[in-house]
Amino acid sequence: MPTESLKRAGVNVRIIDKRPKKVAAGQADGVQPRTIEVLQSYGLAERLLREGNQMHMVAFYNPSPNGGIERTGRTADITAPSARYPFEVTLHQGAIEAIFLDSMRELGLEVDRPIIPTALELSHDENELRDPQSYPVKVTLKHLDFGSEGQDDTEIVYAKFVVGADGAHSWVRKTLGIIMDGEQTDYIWGVVDLIPSTNFPDIRNRCAIHSSNGSCMIIPREGDKVRLYIQLSDKDVVVDKATGRVDKEKTKVGPEELLEVARKSFSPFTIEKAGEIDWWTIYLIGQRVAQKFSVHERVFIAGDACHTHSPKAGQGMNASMNDTHNLIWKMTYVLRGWADISLLRTYEFERRKYAQDLIAFDKKFSALFSGKPRTEECQDGVSHEAFLEAFQTFGAFSCGIGIHYSPSSIPSMPNITELKHQSLTSHQTVGMRILPHVFVRAADARPFEIQDLLPANTKWKLVVFVGDIGPGKIKQIERVAKLADDLGKSTGLLKRYEDGVFEILTICATVKECLNYTDLPEVLRPHWSRVLLDDVDMFGRTGGKGYDIYGVDPSQGAIIVVRPDGYVGTVTPLEGVKDLETYFDTFLIRTL
């Protein structure tokens, strides 16, 4: 996904993978609402939604006084009210990879396999490290499929930047000597993907089962498949003390044994496999965050390489995608010469804080999920009420909607989040993603979701809420005209940086019967499609009340600055062009 963004931006990209082919089954399988929004910004969500399963409801089961388990509640799987996609999508990792691979192939980009890095050297020359056009990273590669005698299987690559997204046991991280802070828990879980034969009534809902035999989670998948997360005891497995990983050769638990544990947890309901086990594994929950996410802003780590946690909250793949979504637009700006290389420091600042919050959430969630349930005999156990409260409290964070990037207080770091005029958009928080909402296009009354008009195309979007400029609104019309003059000056905001940095989207609080898109100054209507109305569609089915959604006063208006990754960077009044210039001057390179 972000790799395609680099390729579309004209950056020479190379991807290597030690696996000879893409994942066939298993692995990560849950896509959260915010990640679906991100995929949509790259034009990739439609296929995911078509092929995947949607989880709309979650059911909770706890020990029954009569033995076995009973349902104690059902609720919405996604509790964040502003989620554009109020559900999770589940699809096996191989199918998700195929979406990316096919999209990359259209751009002439393939994954080189099977290749591993064997050495990584980073220049110590400060001038070279500060020059974004230099190649300070030397990577030695080994081609694993070069087996003929005399064939050289080694390749040397010189790179401007390297991103290691190579998993929890990252070679890149270890080679750089980056330490992971955190701990290994005592929680041991098995995972089984299968098509079940069962009389369990919530098999097609996400389920959290607390039984006297241990805990279990059900994740319904594409087609008839489901994934079972099954809690194990430490007597069931053997852990390699040197690596902290489950020793599968010495552990006598396999997929059949995992299913037997699940049967006990499901009682009085039954569950059997209908066919072969699709995939299975056993793991210990480790909760760690890397001490740093890059070295000299030249070699970066992302995803599980810099943070590890339980998979049951569905964060791993989602966090990984959003790490690189955050990084790639910044890297593009540096490579194009549009921004100073110091912009890349904000990747670690923003995403490491998120990772620390994620681990704090995961510790509480894992403890609740892995703890013994409250029963008559175990009054200190986890109650249904406590688990439900945690599920709903952390809902916005776990689905990605609640991610919030804070302003930097580090003097040497560009501040790409600015709160000075936050009060102008009381419901749109600076540092959070732009809220979804449907507006009507002024030129033809066609309704559009605003997020679809703000794609991940590496451009900054100036979303200008001009207020009501209908008949008789002389004062507001004059304010808008002054804004257009300020933006259009020969040395103004739109001219002082490289061409192509900004896109303008104008939103009027005027009904469609009283406004022509041509009523706007040309600067605020760069194309006929870029003027929207806060009004309902022709049938009154969708749209309207957008100013209320964002907390913008129609008599005042506001400019919302949306970063290339869809997060709000700052907000200013219509008279705040100088504030915009000051803001962008902190990290963009001026051409005037």
Side-chain angles (χ1 to χ4, degrees):
M1 172 180 67
T3 308
E4 299 162 53
S5 181
L6 282 175
K7 184 69 174 178
R8 291 183 193 279
V11 176
N12 186 17
V13 183
R14 184 165 181 193
I15 310 170
I16 65 165
D17 191 344
K18 69 178 180 180
R19 292 174 297 189
K21 56 185 179 181
K22 72 176 180 66
V23 170
Q27 308 292 333
D29 66 352
V31 184
Q32 297 284 357
R34 173 56 190 158
T35 308
I36 303 173
E37 291 180 358
V38 170
L39 291 171
Q40 175 66 9
S41 74
Y42 289 96
L44 300 176
E46 181 180 347
R47 179 172 166 186
L48 175 76
L49 295 172
R50 184 174 67 248
E51 296 182 7
N53 171 71
Q54 295 182 12
M55 292 197 302
H56 289 261
M57 187 163 65
V58 58
F60 302 94
Y61 283 76
N62 285 280
S64 168
N66 302 319
I69 57 173
E70 64 179 3
R71 189 171 65 217
T72 51
R74 282 173 169 169
T75 190
D77 184 50
I78 300 302
T79 59
S82 72
R84 177 182 177 183
Y85 303 97
F87 50 81
E88 293 179 64
V89 171
T90 54
L91 182 66
H92 76 84
Q93 184 172 318
I96 296 173
E97 283 188 17
I99 295 173
F100 296 146
L101 292 170
D102 291 347
S103 179
M104 288 162 47
R105 195 167 293 119
E106 292 178 2
L107 300 173
L109 184 62
E110 299 278 355
V111 177
D112 290 340
R113 317 169 183 266
I115 299 174
I116 60 171
T118 58
L120 187 154
E121 301 172 41
L122 184 60
S123 171
H124 298 290
D125 186 322
E126 288 294 330
N127 291 326
E128 190 175 11
L129 291 171
R130 283 196 299 266
D131 179 5
Q133 301 309 315
S134 69
Y135 294 79
V137 191
K138 177 183 177 183
V139 185
T140 303
L141 303 178
K142 179 180 177 63
H143 291 252
L144 301 180
D145 58 350
F146 284 12
S148 58
E149 190 173 333
Q151 191 174 16
D152 187 1
D153 62 359
T154 300
E155 179 187 0
I156 303 296
V157 176
Y158 290 92
K160 294 179 179 179
F161 298 99
V162 170
V163 180
D166 51 342
H169 302 276
S170 169
W171 177 90
V172 173
R173 184 189 70 236
K174 293 174 182 176
T175 301
L176 295 173
I178 297 176
I179 305 299
M180 294 284 278
D181 291 331
E183 59 192 16
Q184 189 92 317
T185 71
D186 295 327
Y187 307 137
I188 306 170
W189 288 76
V191 187
V192 179
D193 290 350
L194 75 161
I195 295 177
S197 173
T198 181
N199 63 352
F200 186 72
D202 284 297
I203 196 66
R204 293 309 301 176
N205 292 315
R206 180 183 178 187
C207 290
I209 299 173
H210 282 97
S211 80
S212 299
N213 185 66
S215 296
C216 180
M217 176 173 276
I218 301 172
I219 303 293
R221 286 265 302 277
E222 69 277 8
D224 294 330
K225 287 181 185 176
V226 301
R227 168 166 290 185
L228 302 180
Y229 287 97
I230 304 158
Q231 186 177 12
L232 302 173
S233 66
D234 54 8
K235 69 177 185 295
D236 295 323
V237 300
V238 176
V239 178
D240 186 326
K241 293 183 179 179
T243 64
R245 305 175 78 174
V246 173
D247 189 330
K248 288 190 175 181
E249 291 186 3
K250 296 180 181 179
T251 294
K252 294 183 170 53
V253 175
E256 295 296 339
E257 288 75 20
L258 291 175
L259 191 54
E260 180 57 33
V261 175
R263 291 189 188 102
K264 295 177 182 177
S265 297
F266 270 68
S267 177
F269 305 101
T270 62
I271 183 167
E272 301 293 339
K273 60 177 183 177
E276 297 300 314
I277 299 289
D278 193 49
W279 182 81
W280 71 280
T281 191
I282 300 173
Y283 66 90
L284 280 83
I285 296 177
Q287 294 160 330
R288 300 184 177 91
V289 178
Q291 289 184 351
K292 55 184 179 179
F293 284 18
S294 76
V295 175
H296 295 302
E297 284 72 53
R298 286 299 191 158
V299 183
F300 299 86
I301 52 176
D304 286 356
C306 51
H307 43 72
T308 62
H309 35 81
S310 164
K312 290 185 296 303
Q315 298 301 300
M317 177 171 59
N318 294 273
S320 300
M321 290 183 190
N322 283 283
D323 281 347
T324 49
H325 179 57
N326 179 285
L327 173 63
I328 292 307
W329 73 264
K330 299 170 183 177
M331 193 176 287
T332 299
Y333 270 60
V334 171
L335 286 167
R336 283 176 170 173
W338 291 2
D340 187 80
I341 198 168
S342 61
L343 175 64
L344 294 172
R345 296 176 191 162
T346 64
Y347 165 65
E348 179 178 312
F349 173 77
E350 293 181 334
R351 294 305 295 176
R352 189 168 188 272
K353 174 62 168 61
Y354 161 78
Q356 290 171 323
D357 292 344
L358 173 58
I359 296 304
F361 152 73
D362 191 60
K363 284 182 177 180
K364 183 169 184 178
F365 190 78
S366 294
L368 286 171
F369 209 104
S370 300
K372 290 183 178 297
R374 179 177 294 178
T375 61
E376 288 293 331
E377 298 76 22
C378 181
Q379 287 297 309
D380 293 333
V382 178
S383 70
H384 167 66
E385 291 75 17
F387 189 84
L388 180 61
E389 180 184 7
F391 179 83
Q392 294 178 333
T393 299
F394 292 109
F397 180 83
S398 63
C399 73
I401 301 302
I403 294 174
H404 186 185
Y405 296 141
S406 302
S408 169
S409 59
I410 303 171
S412 63
M413 183 183 296
N415 198 349
I416 58 174
T417 305
E418 173 58 61
L419 306 178
K420 182 178 178 182
H421 298 291
Q422 173 65 87
S423 61
L424 293 173
T425 58
S426 57
H427 299 156
Q428 173 64 73
T429 304
V430 173
M432 298 183 73
R433 105 300 192 202
I434 185 75
L435 292 168
H437 189 69
V438 173
F439 292 94
V440 172
R441 194 161 61 187
D444 58 4
R446 178 178 172 180
F448 275 91
E449 165 57 57
I450 190 173
Q451 288 187 346
D452 292 341
L453 301 176
L454 308 173
N457 59 1
T458 73
K459 295 186 179 184
W460 288 80
K461 284 80 175 180
L462 305 181
V463 182
V464 186
F465 286 77
V466 295
D468 187 355
I469 56 171
K473 304 294 183 179
I474 304 301
K475 182 178 179 181
Q476 194 68 8
I477 292 172
E478 290 174 349
R479 293 180 67 215
V480 171
K482 177 66 165 58
L483 167 63
D485 289 343
D486 291 343
L487 287 173
K489 287 179 180 177
S490 60
T491 58
L493 179 72
L494 301 182
K495 304 290 179 62
R496 68 199 296 161
Y497 310 108
E498 286 287 348
D499 185 38
V501 169
F502 300 113
E503 286 184 347
I504 291 179
L505 185 67
T506 301
I507 302 177
C508 308
T510 311
V511 295
K512 51 187 170 291
E513 292 82 5
C514 298
L515 186 80
N516 299 313
Y517 82 91
T518 51
D519 294 341
L520 274 296
E522 288 189 13
V523 169
L524 297 177
R525 53 176 175 89
H527 188 265
W528 63 266
S529 64
R530 305 299 290 177
V531 179
L532 305 179
L533 303 177
D534 185 16
D535 196 6
V536 295
D537 70 354
M538 296 303 295
F539 298 95
R541 296 171 180 168
T542 188
K545 299 185 178 180
Y547 273 64
D548 292 340
I549 291 293
Y550 297 91
V552 178
D553 183 346
S555 68
Q556 296 298 314
I559 302 173
I560 297 179
V561 176
V562 183
R563 302 176 355 170
D565 58 1
Y567 287 81
V568 174
T570 191
V571 171
T572 72
L574 299 186
E575 291 79 14
V577 173
K578 286 293 183 183
D579 287 331
L580 289 177
E581 292 170 354
T582 300
Y583 170 74
F584 283 108
D585 279 349
T586 62
F587 53 89
L588 292 184
I589 296 174
R590 294 181 59 170
T591 57
L592 289 179

